[in-house]
Amino acid sequence: YFIRVGSTKQTPTQQELLRLFQKRNVLQFDETPVIKASMKSIDTEKINSYLSGIGQSPLNDEDTKAIERELTNLSILLDIDNTLYPSLGGILAFGKNPQKYFPSYNIQCGAYKGKDFLSDTIREKDLKGTLDELIEDAIAFLKLTMPQRQIVERGVRRKDEYLYPVEALREGIVNAVAHRDYTISGTAVRLFLFNNRLEIRSPGGLPNTLTLENMQYRQFTRNQMIASFLTGFGYMERRGKGIFRMLKLCEQNSIKCKLSLTPDASEFVVTYRPV
């Protein structure tokens, strides 16, 4: 394989080749096996909670073979040459310690007093855990650090409300976790709160035929297994209206929401600003 770089052709790196296959929809990266892990790396109690949420029976703890079959049917385990390995999506959704195998598949959070990183730090934290834990801990971080504003209900009653609508932020965080490019290692989802804006940065450009202009109307899932698990957890809808809903919530709460890519298209950025 070769890729074009300027006027020359070069042999791609392993990561470049993975991204090329994924872009052509030849490879679903979240369905690849994690060779360094085993069935012991999976939290079966968490799977039982997930199964209960989607109306299915729990795993049969007394029958190891039955558990293996069910986890294989769910694609949490993969049979590679008669050996069972967790899938990447399985580890991220149900692993006992996903960051043991993928340290950068986390969320880095920071809150700052000014408009950039040079200003004083209010709080910083690197979040770890499974996909649902990352989402919930990111929301908890924002609730702890976000400013609040007072609104008057019916002309009499005062109510404290977060400056940025929590549900809109949840949609942005879920989108970042679900659709980041997992072939890019060494880079985390990043969440920054400044005094004039809030940013959610997700590794990777837009997949396939999505553009900044059409992404709120079209549905394309880079990581189908991860999206399926997040749907089962109740974080996503199968209709793929998360971006549209996020923009609508921001509009209703007088928040400007901008979707953009970094100049080198290495990150997808959602920026929230008070109007």
Side-chain angles (χ1 to χ4, degrees):
Y1 297 93
F2 296 94
I3 58 173
R4 177 68 64 182
V5 179
S7 59
T8 65
K9 61 180 181 180
Q10 297 181 9
T11 303
T13 64
Q14 184 183 45
Q15 285 190 338
E16 287 172 335
L17 197 56
L18 285 172
R19 286 196 290 272
L20 182 63
F21 283 146
Q22 188 177 51
K23 187 175 181 180
R24 297 294 185 272
N25 214 21
V26 175
L27 170 71
Q28 295 295 324
F29 192 62
D30 57 342
E31 296 179 10
T32 56
V34 182
I35 302 299
K36 294 181 179 180
S38 68
M39 182 174 168
K40 293 181 180 178
S41 308
I42 298 297
D43 186 345
T44 54
E45 289 186 10
K46 193 172 189 69
I47 293 174
N48 281 336
S49 177
Y50 170 82
L51 292 173
S52 175
I54 60 175
Q56 294 190 18
S57 301
L59 301 172
N60 184 354
D61 294 336
E62 298 179 357
D63 189 340
T64 302
K65 290 296 182 182
I67 292 177
E68 291 177 350
R69 284 195 301 271
E70 188 155 2
L71 296 190
T72 302
N73 290 338
L74 290 167
S75 296
I76 296 172
L77 293 180
L78 302 174
D79 188 339
I80 308 296
D81 296 331
N82 297 319
T83 302
L84 294 176
Y85 299 100
S87 63
L88 173 60
I91 280 282
L92 295 180
F94 306 105
K96 294 177 180 177
N97 182 8
Q99 284 72 35
K100 173 183 177 181
Y101 307 99
F102 306 100
S104 64
Y105 292 175
N106 66 338
I107 299 181
Q108 296 176 349
C109 301
Y112 307 92
K113 290 185 178 179
K115 299 179 181 179
D116 54 41
F117 301 108
L118 299 179
S119 57
D120 293 338
T121 300
I122 297 173
R123 192 163 181 256
E124 291 181 330
K125 190 172 184 180
D126 286 354
L127 307 180
K128 298 180 180 180
T130 52
L131 299 173
D132 60 314
E133 291 168 345
L134 290 176
I135 294 167
E136 294 302 328
D137 288 349
I139 293 295
F141 178 91
L142 289 176
K143 285 183 174 180
L144 189 64
T145 54
M146 266 195 301
Q148 293 186 329
R149 59 185 176 183
Q150 281 193 339
I151 62 173
V152 178
E153 289 185 332
R154 299 177 183 176
V156 178
R157 189 176 175 184
R158 290 185 178 276
K159 177 184 176 183
D160 289 333
E161 192 176 72
Y162 291 110
L163 177 59
Y164 301 101
V166 172
E167 287 308 307
L169 301 182
R170 185 184 297 274
E171 291 288 355
I173 293 167
V174 169
N175 181 78
V177 169
H179 301 302
R180 69 156 285 176
D181 189 341
Y182 284 98
T183 66
I184 301 175
S185 60
T187 304
V189 171
R190 300 188 294 165
L191 193 159
F192 299 128
L193 177 65
F194 301 102
N195 68 357
N196 66 337
R197 70 191 188 282
L198 190 156
E199 295 180 359
I200 300 173
R201 293 176 166 262
S202 176
L206 297 178
N208 211 345
T209 57
L210 286 189
T211 66
L212 294 173
E213 292 73 28
N214 70 19
M215 65 181 305
Q216 63 175 301
Y217 306 108
R218 298 189 60 183
Q219 180 181 11
F220 183 86
T221 304
R222 175 186 270 133
N223 307 301
Q224 295 182 15
M225 183 188 299
I226 287 174
S228 176
F229 290 147
L230 288 174
T231 299
F233 278 123
Y235 289 107
M236 297 181 69
E237 296 181 356
R238 296 188 185 277
R239 291 172 293 177
K241 299 297 183 182
I243 292 291
F244 181 81
R245 182 168 181 266
M246 178 181 69
L247 295 173
K248 197 69 176 176
L249 284 167
C250 286
E251 181 182 351
Q252 292 170 353
N253 288 272
S254 300
I255 296 295
K256 182 179 180 181
C257 183
K258 179 183 177 182
L259 312 176
S260 63
L261 293 169
T262 54
D264 61 354
S266 64
E267 285 184 311
F268 174 68
V269 186
V270 181
T271 305
Y272 307 86
R273 291 180 187 271
V275 176

